[in-house]
Amino acid sequence: MGVKQRSTTLSSAHHLLASPVFQLEVLNGASEPAPGLAIPPFVVSAGMEIRPRGVEVLQINIGKLCNQSCAHCHVDAGPDRKHEQMTQETMQLCLDFAIRNRITTIDITGGAPEMNVHFRWLVEACREAGIQVINRCNLTIIMSNPRFRDLPEFFARNKVHIISSLPHFSKTRTDHQRGDGVFEDSIAALKLLNQAGYGFGNPDYKLDLVYNPSGAFLPGSQHTLEKEFKAQLIRRFGVSFDHLFTITNLPVSRFLDYLLTSGNYTSYMEELYKAFNPSNLEGLMCRFTLSVGWDGFLYDCDFNQMLNLKSNVAHPHISTADAEELLNRQIVVNQHCYGCTAGAGSSCGGEISA
Ligand code: SF4
Ligand code: SF4
């Protein structure tokens, strides 16, 4: 059976894997239970330093609080992560940086970003500044409480690009990974988004779905899965969406825990290594995206954020961020990066070589 929803976060369970240091020890074969895994360092396989080509997207993780606690979550988000929430002051610093550096897209993620009390302020402030907003919405948040029920209209008013996870078009497979009742609420939320104009090819109301595998294997073809999801969702539920992004599960946080406890860690890492595809190096998302944590620290991507691998600059914080220094930095890579280069590649926008 595949990866199954957790009842608590690693953090609240005081699990060893809640520590980024321990996760990195495991990934580098220095710690039980997976010592000495014989795959070369990622940087050796890459054969080059990974350098940015600019900051086109500022991805802001505004908090780890979430109404769900999905099995594969690399953020270790959940209902008990109440305290890690970005303040309005830090959001303002992000916005100032984006405006100063003509960044055209702010990609808001979490947790469930809508649970941050300053979420709507941030969206409206971005739009007033002419910045496009992506929101990574887990769908069920819309149905979780009446105070979130108007989110589809709010998104439409602000022309927010919605990207939402839906692991499968069947209830069993979705609920297994994301929790009981998630599938039904996701479909109900998708219907509300469709009613608000989302998912019909209008560039102002983009609704994309994310598929990630439900176990220790690479995703199938994005093109094929998109066709299958579109046909099944329209036929079974009358639901439309624009594109499907396939994302590889990276061995970080709760997915790393699943790999270790299920005995799949070694074979999965070997699979990622064997599927290493150098043509994905050019399109790695860390080369054009900068990631900001809830407390304002800077990272090369959301995965590095969860491993506490800060960007390689003197003061990696949004309050002192310097675009030129960031442009000249070397991106921090480690063994989890094999997840981004395997097969067709993986990024927050799906396959790299699609
Ligand atoms: S909805 Fe997203 S952030 Fe929340 S627990 Fe699931 S994967 Fe993590
Ligand atoms: S995990 Fe992050 S740093 Fe590593 S290759 Fe992927 S995007 Fe780049």
Side-chain angles (χ1 to χ4, degrees):
M1 203 54 177
V3 56
K4 194 169 185 323
Q5 185 217 11
R6 290 182 66 85
S7 50
T8 55
T9 61
L10 296 170
S11 169
S12 66
H14 304 291
H15 195 291
L16 262 179
L17 284 169
S19 154
V21 173
F22 184 73
Q23 290 185 58
L24 285 166
E25 283 178 9
V26 171
L27 287 167
N28 288 282
S31 257
E32 292 285 357
L37 175 64
I39 63 172
F42 178 80
V43 70
V44 171
S45 295
M48 60 188 252
E49 294 172 347
I50 309 294
R51 297 272 179 185
R53 65 173 197 228
V55 182
E56 295 162 23
V57 177
L58 191 66
Q59 188 174 67
I60 313 178
N61 192 317
I62 65 173
K64 299 189 180 190
L65 182 62
C66 190
N67 58 315
Q68 293 183 192
S69 52
C70 309
H72 65 288
C73 184
H74 73 275
V75 179
D76 194 28
D80 49 14
R81 306 296 299 266
K82 293 191 172 76
H83 303 296
E84 294 115 323
Q85 290 284 288
M86 187 177 276
T87 62
Q88 192 174 335
E89 290 70 29
T90 305
M91 291 178 185
Q92 183 69 59
L93 291 172
C94 294
L95 192 57
D96 293 345
F97 176 82
I99 293 169
R100 244 187 354 262
N101 295 289
R102 296 190 176 82
I103 293 170
T104 51
T105 304
I106 286 187
D107 181 340
I108 306 174
T109 188
E114 303 86 352
M115 293 178 87
N116 183 309
V117 291
H118 308 298
F119 168 76
R120 294 189 194 218
W121 175 85
L122 175 62
V123 170
E124 288 173 341
C126 288
R127 296 303 291 142
E128 273 166 33
I131 295 170
Q132 177 62 52
V133 176
I134 295 173
N135 181 48
R136 298 198 179 255
C137 173
N138 70 13
L139 295 175
T140 60
I141 190 68
I142 295 172
M143 310 310 294
S144 67
N145 186 307
R147 76 192 159 99
F148 295 121
R149 209 60 56 78
D150 68 330
L151 277 169
E153 288 83 30
F154 173 79
F155 295 147
R157 251 193 330 275
N158 290 284
K159 300 181 176 166
V160 178
H161 175 179
I162 301 300
I163 302 182
S164 295
S165 274
L166 190 71
H168 205 257
F169 44 79
S170 78
K171 175 175 162 53
T172 321
R173 282 176 63 175
T174 297
D175 286 1
H176 187 73
Q177 184 184 104
R178 293 175 78 81
D180 290 343
V182 165
F183 185 73
E184 275 170 19
D185 279 357
S186 299
I187 295 295
L190 284 168
K191 287 183 174 171
L192 290 181
L193 285 162
N194 279 172
Q195 279 168 26
Y198 276 92
F200 299 104
N202 184 331
D204 285 339
Y205 308 115
K206 282 199 254 180
L207 171 61
D208 297 324
L209 297 183
V210 168
Y211 161 89
N212 62 289
S214 56
F217 51 90
L218 289 172
S221 148
Q222 182 165 284
H223 179 68
T224 307
L225 280 165
E226 180 180 288
K227 272 183 25 192
E228 199 179 355
F229 267 67
K230 281 198 168 181
Q232 294 288 347
L233 286 178
I234 198 80
R235 185 176 68 79
R236 295 187 192 193
F237 309 105
V239 161
S240 280
F241 68 96
D242 292 310
H243 290 292
L244 183 81
F245 300 150
T246 54
I247 295 189
T248 301
N249 288 311
L250 261 62
V252 175
S253 192
R254 298 213 287 254
F255 192 71
L256 178 57
D257 177 44
Y258 157 73
L259 290 172
L260 293 169
T261 51
S262 64
N264 282 303
Y265 175 75
T266 302
S267 59
Y268 189 68
M269 291 306 289
E270 283 170 354
E271 187 182 354
L272 295 183
Y273 168 61
K274 281 185 197 140
F276 176 76
N277 178 355
S279 68
N280 291 319
L281 292 170
E282 183 60 34
L284 291 173
M285 65 179 171
C286 47
R287 302 187 80 163
F288 58 89
T289 303
L290 184 67
S291 160
V292 190
W294 67 272
D295 49 4
F297 282 99
L298 302 179
Y299 307 84
D300 300 325
C301 72
D302 206 51
F303 299 107
N304 281 13
Q305 187 179 135
M306 302 315 147
L307 291 168
N308 197 24
L309 297 170
K310 294 191 173 71
S311 290
N312 191 8
V313 290
H315 302 289
H317 195 273
I318 194 67
S319 57
T320 50
D322 178 82
E324 199 171 323
E325 190 190 11
L326 283 163
L327 190 59
N328 290 313
R329 77 195 192 278
Q330 189 177 329
I331 287 166
V332 181
V333 294
N334 210 295
Q335 299 307 74
H336 62 298
C337 297
Y338 278 111
C340 292
T341 50
S346 180
S347 74
C348 284
E351 284 184 356
I352 292 175
S353 56

